[in-house]
Amino acid sequence: MVAAVTLKDVAERAGVSIKTVSNVVRNAPRVSDATRERVMRAVHELGYRPNESARRLRTGRSGLIGLAVPDLATPYFAELAHHVRAEAALLGLTVLIEETLGDATEELRLATGVGASLLDGVILSPLRVRLDELARVADEFPLVLLGERNYERDHVVADHVLIDNVAAAREVTAHLAALGRTRIAAIGADRHGSATSRQRLEGFQLALHDAGLTYDPRLAPAIKEFDRRNGLLAMRTLVALPPDARPDAVFCFSDMLAVGAQQALYEAGLTIPGDVAVAGIDGSEEALYSTPPLTSVVPDKAAIASLAVKCLAARIAAEESLPFEVHVAPHWLQARESTDGVRRRMAP
């Protein structure tokens, strides 16, 4: 039998003390990035795994965290879950993944850890639950929120990881305007009034103003969900407008909406991007493999996952209350054939 790798083995390989290794494994603060990287390299090289039973007895923690997202069938959340699981594994944590289907009651239930004795903390992407309800949870239980919420200045109810949705929507709309498109539609105005929808619509309207274009409410049909079917139906509505009112470009508030919109344009015999340029946001693999490949705003999902997991781990390990923080992850615009008409060979 092969002897289990110990903290001492890792310390000797990394050239640090056993206490330093313990601090890194527990994600404790006050460890330099260089030291943390050296220790984690040794952890991977030696295949070290924390003794979960001993840790549970010593700390009262399970080493299990939750990730609750609206819909695991959505490529964005499936890819995000992949990154969260990988990031958690680096810290010796196991992830229990749940979906809320956008139900406020379920979001609140999962935010509490499905029984705090089971989970050490939760990463939640909420759609419907009220902020004041989450504030009560975050005061008592380690919680990190994902996605866009509206906060008043200096009023943050929990740790939060997000991208700048207003800026992202503004950039992609400006891209369409720069291509000479003058009747730009938006698919994603949410009937439920979600923060994500409101912020992307705000960025869209700001970009129109920047380009000297007028916002036409007829070009922003309301939808129920950010899915392919709603993209299809919304685009059919836009195509049915009088010829002088139809859009020559459309910014969809998710890649799935954009894929549905592309299908509606195909049905109508319209070309992409010749007749209508199409862009989305999510940076999903679905955008890369759609026909034509879809221009999309790409949130750095690996960075979002890393920030969320590390933030949650730090809060779990903290012996005293920490101030809540908002972390903004990077994003970038990836132009593809659906807007610029340039055919590119896909990298193998």
Side-chain angles (χ1 to χ4, degrees), residues 80 83 87 161 299-309 327-330 332:
L80 181 65
H83 288 292
E87 190 66 33
V161 180
D300 191 336
K301 290 183 279 291
I304 292 171
S306 179
L307 286 167
V309 172
H327 303 273
V328 181
W332 60 89

Side-chain angles (χ1 to χ4, degrees), residues 117-160:
S117 61
L118 174 62
L119 298 178
D120 293 335
V122 170
I123 298 170
L124 169 70
S125 180
L127 287 182
R128 308 280 185 258
V129 67
R130 297 200 318 269
L131 281 178
D132 60 333
E133 293 178 312
L134 291 177
R136 290 193 292 271
V137 175
D139 284 337
E140 303 292 336
F141 184 71
L143 176 67
V144 174
L145 303 180
L146 302 178
E148 288 59 50
R149 305 293 288 182
N150 289 332
Y151 289 114
E152 297 177 4
R153 183 179 178 86
D154 299 326
H155 178 67
V156 180
V157 303
D159 292 316
H160 207 137

Side-chain angles (χ1 to χ4, degrees), residues 262-280:
Q262 286 179 314
Q263 176 62 27
L265 292 170
Y266 172 77
E267 292 175 351
L270 298 174
T271 62
I272 305 170
D275 294 313
V276 183
V278 181

Side-chain angles (χ1 to χ4, degrees), residues 64-74 76-82 84-85 94-103 105-115 118-119 121-127 141 143-144 146:
L64 184 66
I65 63 173
L67 171 65
V69 298
D71 183 4
L72 283 168
T74 301
Y76 173 82
F77 289 116
E79 293 169 23
L80 181 65
H82 166 78
V84 168
R85 189 213 60 79
T94 300
V95 183
L96 174 66
I97 301 174
E98 296 274 3
E99 62 180 353
T100 65
L101 302 179
D103 180 78
T105 301
E106 186 69 358
E107 288 174 348
L108 184 59
R109 183 183 75 85
L110 292 172
T112 64
V114 201
L118 174 62
L119 298 178
V122 170
I123 298 170
L124 169 70
S125 180
L127 287 182
F141 184 71
L143 176 67
V144 174
L146 302 178

